[in-house]
Short mmCIF file of all heavy atoms in Angstrom, two decimals:
data_model
loop_
_atom_site.label_atom_id
_atom_site.label_comp_id
_atom_site.label_asym_id
_atom_site.label_seq_id
_atom_site.Cartn_x
_atom_site.Cartn_y
_atom_site.Cartn_z
N PRO F 1 0.78 -1.28 0.02
CA PRO F 1 0.01 0.01 0.02
C PRO F 1 0.78 1.35 -0.01
O PRO F 1 0.26 2.32 -0.06
CB PRO F 1 -0.85 -0.17 1.35
CG PRO F 1 0.18 -0.85 2.26
CD PRO F 1 1.00 -1.78 1.35
N PHE F 2 2.20 1.16 0.05
CA PHE F 2 3.04 2.35 0.32
C PHE F 2 3.79 2.81 -1.01
O PHE F 2 3.83 1.94 -2.01
CB PHE F 2 4.06 2.10 1.42
CG PHE F 2 3.37 1.70 2.73
CD1 PHE F 2 3.48 0.48 3.24
CD2 PHE F 2 2.66 2.70 3.41
CE1 PHE F 2 2.88 0.17 4.50
CE2 PHE F 2 2.05 2.41 4.68
CZ PHE F 2 2.10 1.12 5.14
N ARG F 3 4.33 3.88 -0.97
CA ARG F 3 5.16 4.30 -2.02
C ARG F 3 6.54 4.88 -1.49
O ARG F 3 6.64 5.00 -0.29
CB ARG F 3 4.52 5.61 -2.81
CG ARG F 3 3.40 5.09 -3.67
CD ARG F 3 2.73 6.23 -4.34
NE ARG F 3 3.64 6.97 -5.27
CZ ARG F 3 3.89 6.43 -6.54
NH1 ARG F 3 3.46 5.35 -6.93
NH2 ARG F 3 4.81 7.05 -7.27
N GLY F 4 7.46 5.06 -2.33
CA GLY F 4 8.83 5.48 -1.87
C GLY F 4 9.57 4.47 -0.99
O GLY F 4 9.33 3.23 -1.19
N SER F 5 10.30 4.92 -0.09
CA SER F 5 11.04 4.00 0.76
C SER F 5 10.24 3.05 1.60
O SER F 5 10.59 1.87 1.86
CB SER F 5 12.11 4.78 1.65
OG SER F 5 11.33 5.66 2.52
N SER F 6 9.08 3.56 2.08
CA SER F 6 8.15 2.71 2.84
C SER F 6 7.76 1.53 1.97
O SER F 6 7.64 0.45 2.38
CB SER F 6 6.94 3.47 3.37
OG SER F 6 7.34 4.55 4.14
N GLY F 7 7.37 1.80 0.73
CA GLY F 7 6.92 0.74 -0.17
C GLY F 7 8.13 -0.25 -0.47
O GLY F 7 7.75 -1.51 -0.45
N ALA F 8 9.26 0.24 -0.56
CA ALA F 8 10.45 -0.77 -0.74
C ALA F 8 10.60 -1.52 0.51
O ALA F 8 10.90 -2.87 0.43
CB ALA F 8 11.70 0.10 -0.96
N LEU F 9 10.47 -1.03 1.72
CA LEU F 9 10.61 -1.80 3.02
C LEU F 9 9.58 -2.88 3.14
O LEU F 9 9.79 -3.97 3.60
CB LEU F 9 10.75 -0.87 4.16
CG LEU F 9 11.96 0.11 4.36
CD1 LEU F 9 11.74 1.06 5.41
CD2 LEU F 9 13.16 -0.74 4.59
N TRP F 10 8.28 -2.48 2.67
CA TRP F 10 7.16 -3.47 2.70
C TRP F 10 7.60 -4.70 1.74
O TRP F 10 7.56 -5.83 2.26
CB TRP F 10 5.95 -2.82 2.17
CG TRP F 10 4.86 -3.75 2.01
CD1 TRP F 10 4.67 -4.66 0.99
CD2 TRP F 10 3.65 -3.90 2.92
NE1 TRP F 10 3.42 -5.29 1.15
CE2 TRP F 10 2.85 -4.92 2.35
CE3 TRP F 10 3.30 -3.29 4.07
CZ2 TRP F 10 1.55 -5.30 2.94
CZ3 TRP F 10 2.07 -3.69 4.66
CH2 TRP F 10 1.34 -4.63 4.06
N LEU F 11 8.03 -4.34 0.62
CA LEU F 11 8.53 -5.43 -0.37
C LEU F 11 9.62 -6.25 0.23
O LEU F 11 9.55 -7.49 0.11
CB LEU F 11 8.83 -4.90 -1.69
CG LEU F 11 7.75 -4.23 -2.50
CD1 LEU F 11 8.35 -3.54 -3.78
CD2 LEU F 11 6.63 -5.18 -2.86
N ILE F 12 10.62 -5.54 0.80
CA ILE F 12 11.82 -6.38 1.35
C ILE F 12 11.31 -7.29 2.52
O ILE F 12 11.73 -8.53 2.56
CB ILE F 12 12.87 -5.44 1.81
CG1 ILE F 12 13.47 -4.70 0.61
CG2 ILE F 12 13.90 -6.17 2.60
CD1 ILE F 12 14.48 -3.61 1.05
N ALA F 13 10.50 -6.79 3.35
CA ALA F 13 9.98 -7.55 4.58
C ALA F 13 9.24 -8.83 4.06
O ALA F 13 9.42 -9.90 4.64
CB ALA F 13 9.08 -6.69 5.47
N PHE F 14 8.24 -8.59 3.17
CA PHE F 14 7.54 -9.73 2.78
C PHE F 14 8.23 -10.66 1.77
O PHE F 14 7.79 -11.89 1.59
CB PHE F 14 6.16 -9.35 2.13
CG PHE F 14 5.13 -8.97 3.25
CD1 PHE F 14 4.90 -7.69 3.64
CD2 PHE F 14 4.52 -10.05 3.95
CE1 PHE F 14 4.05 -7.33 4.69
CE2 PHE F 14 3.59 -9.74 4.94
CZ PHE F 14 3.35 -8.34 5.36
N ARG F 15 9.31 -10.16 1.08
CA ARG F 15 10.12 -11.13 0.37
C ARG F 15 10.87 -11.99 1.35
O ARG F 15 11.10 -13.16 1.01
CB ARG F 15 11.18 -10.31 -0.49
CG ARG F 15 10.68 -9.73 -1.77
CD ARG F 15 10.71 -10.68 -2.86
NE ARG F 15 11.96 -11.03 -3.40
CZ ARG F 15 12.13 -12.02 -4.35
NH1 ARG F 15 11.20 -12.68 -4.71
NH2 ARG F 15 13.32 -12.22 -4.79
N ILE F 16 11.25 -11.60 2.51
CA ILE F 16 11.81 -12.40 3.45
C ILE F 16 10.87 -13.45 3.97
O ILE F 16 11.23 -14.65 4.14
CB ILE F 16 12.41 -11.59 4.65
CG1 ILE F 16 13.62 -10.79 4.10
CG2 ILE F 16 12.80 -12.38 5.86
CD1 ILE F 16 14.03 -9.67 5.21
N VAL F 17 9.55 -13.04 4.14
CA VAL F 17 8.56 -14.11 4.57
C VAL F 17 8.35 -15.07 3.42
O VAL F 17 8.31 -16.29 3.78
CB VAL F 17 7.21 -13.27 4.99
CG1 VAL F 17 6.20 -14.24 5.31
CG2 VAL F 17 7.48 -12.38 6.17
N GLN F 18 8.29 -14.64 2.22
CA GLN F 18 8.12 -15.49 1.08
C GLN F 18 9.34 -16.40 1.00
O GLN F 18 9.13 -17.64 0.74
CB GLN F 18 8.09 -14.59 -0.21
CG GLN F 18 7.67 -15.30 -1.44
CD GLN F 18 7.75 -14.50 -2.64
OE1 GLN F 18 8.82 -13.74 -2.89
NE2 GLN F 18 6.76 -14.51 -3.51
N ALA F 19 10.56 -15.93 1.38
CA ALA F 19 11.62 -16.80 1.37
C ALA F 19 11.60 -17.87 2.33
O ALA F 19 12.12 -19.00 2.17
CB ALA F 19 12.99 -15.98 1.50
N LEU F 20 10.91 -17.55 3.55
CA LEU F 20 10.76 -18.60 4.51
C LEU F 20 9.98 -19.72 3.97
O LEU F 20 10.32 -20.91 4.25
CB LEU F 20 10.13 -17.91 5.71
CG LEU F 20 9.70 -18.87 6.85
CD1 LEU F 20 10.82 -19.68 7.45
CD2 LEU F 20 8.83 -18.17 8.01
N GLY F 21 8.82 -19.38 3.27
CA GLY F 21 8.00 -20.51 2.63
C GLY F 21 8.84 -21.26 1.61
O GLY F 21 8.62 -22.45 1.57
N GLY F 22 9.54 -20.50 0.84
CA GLY F 22 10.40 -21.19 -0.16
C GLY F 22 11.41 -22.06 0.33
O GLY F 22 11.55 -23.08 -0.15
N ALA F 23 12.06 -21.66 1.48
CA ALA F 23 13.04 -22.50 2.18
C ALA F 23 12.32 -23.71 2.66
O ALA F 23 13.06 -24.88 2.64
CB ALA F 23 13.65 -21.71 3.36
N MET F 24 11.10 -23.65 3.17
CA MET F 24 10.43 -24.96 3.63
C MET F 24 10.25 -25.85 2.49
O MET F 24 10.39 -27.13 2.68
CB MET F 24 9.01 -24.52 4.25
CG MET F 24 9.08 -23.75 5.52
SD MET F 24 7.48 -23.26 5.99
CE MET F 24 7.83 -22.51 7.53
N LEU F 25 9.94 -25.35 1.33
CA LEU F 25 9.70 -26.21 0.07
C LEU F 25 11.13 -26.85 -0.29
O LEU F 25 11.23 -27.98 -0.45
CB LEU F 25 9.23 -25.46 -1.00
CG LEU F 25 7.77 -24.87 -0.79
CD1 LEU F 25 7.41 -23.92 -2.04
CD2 LEU F 25 6.77 -25.95 -0.73
N MET F 26 12.17 -25.93 -0.41
CA MET F 26 13.36 -26.52 -0.91
C MET F 26 13.96 -27.33 0.08
O MET F 26 14.76 -28.42 -0.37
CB MET F 26 14.42 -25.19 -1.03
CG MET F 26 13.95 -24.23 -2.13
SD MET F 26 15.16 -22.91 -2.08
CE MET F 26 14.28 -21.67 -3.15
N ALA F 27 13.90 -27.22 1.34
CA ALA F 27 14.54 -28.08 2.33
C ALA F 27 14.07 -29.44 2.35
O ALA F 27 14.70 -30.41 2.70
CB ALA F 27 14.45 -27.42 3.78
N ASN F 28 12.78 -29.61 1.95
CA ASN F 28 12.14 -31.03 2.31
C ASN F 28 11.76 -31.74 0.88
O ASN F 28 11.42 -32.90 0.99
CB ASN F 28 10.93 -30.78 3.02
CG ASN F 28 11.28 -30.44 4.53
OD1 ASN F 28 11.79 -31.26 5.25
ND2 ASN F 28 11.22 -29.24 4.85
N SER F 29 11.78 -31.02 -0.25
CA SER F 29 11.29 -31.70 -1.46
C SER F 29 12.10 -32.87 -1.82
O SER F 29 11.61 -33.95 -2.15
CB SER F 29 11.21 -30.66 -2.58
OG SER F 29 12.48 -30.18 -2.80
N ALA F 30 13.46 -32.72 -1.88
CA ALA F 30 14.41 -33.80 -2.20
C ALA F 30 14.22 -35.02 -1.20
O ALA F 30 14.37 -36.18 -1.64
CB ALA F 30 15.78 -33.29 -2.32
N ALA F 31 14.08 -34.67 0.09
CA ALA F 31 13.96 -35.75 1.10
C ALA F 31 12.70 -36.53 0.80
O ALA F 31 12.54 -37.75 0.93
CB ALA F 31 13.95 -35.06 2.55
N ILE F 32 11.53 -35.91 0.49
CA ILE F 32 10.26 -36.47 0.23
C ILE F 32 10.45 -37.46 -0.89
O ILE F 32 9.96 -38.58 -0.89
CB ILE F 32 9.16 -35.41 0.03
CG1 ILE F 32 8.87 -34.69 1.36
CG2 ILE F 32 7.89 -36.11 -0.57
CD1 ILE F 32 7.86 -33.47 1.19
N LEU F 33 11.04 -36.99 -2.02
CA LEU F 33 11.29 -37.83 -3.22
C LEU F 33 12.10 -39.02 -2.84
O LEU F 33 11.92 -40.09 -3.34
CB LEU F 33 11.84 -37.01 -4.34
CG LEU F 33 10.92 -35.96 -4.90
CD1 LEU F 33 11.49 -35.09 -5.90
CD2 LEU F 33 9.60 -36.63 -5.69
N THR F 34 13.22 -38.79 -2.13
CA THR F 34 14.12 -39.86 -1.77
C THR F 34 13.26 -40.91 -0.92
O THR F 34 13.53 -42.13 -1.12
CB THR F 34 15.34 -39.30 -0.92
OG1 THR F 34 15.98 -38.21 -1.74
CG2 THR F 34 16.29 -40.41 -0.66
N ASP F 35 12.40 -40.47 -0.06
CA ASP F 35 11.68 -41.41 0.65
C ASP F 35 10.70 -42.29 -0.17
O ASP F 35 10.48 -43.46 0.03
CB ASP F 35 10.75 -40.69 1.71
CG ASP F 35 11.52 -40.27 2.86
OD1 ASP F 35 12.71 -40.66 3.20
OD2 ASP F 35 11.12 -39.16 3.47
#
């Protein structure tokens, strides 16, 4: 909802949250297939 530096900080913060979800996928996908 923001513009300028506030908008950039919003994007950076939720990119980090998004990366948390991505890390959950990356960390376990190969192990699930190996099982």
Side-chain angles (χ1 to χ4, degrees):
F2 302 111
R3 290 180 61 79
S5 58
S6 298
L9 290 173
W10 173 284
L11 293 176
I12 291 169
F14 279 100
R15 280 282 284 173
I16 290 173
V17 177
Q18 189 185 48
L20 173 62
M24 292 178 178
L25 298 171
M26 294 178 192
N28 291 282
S29 61
I32 291 171
L33 289 172
T34 305
D35 290 336

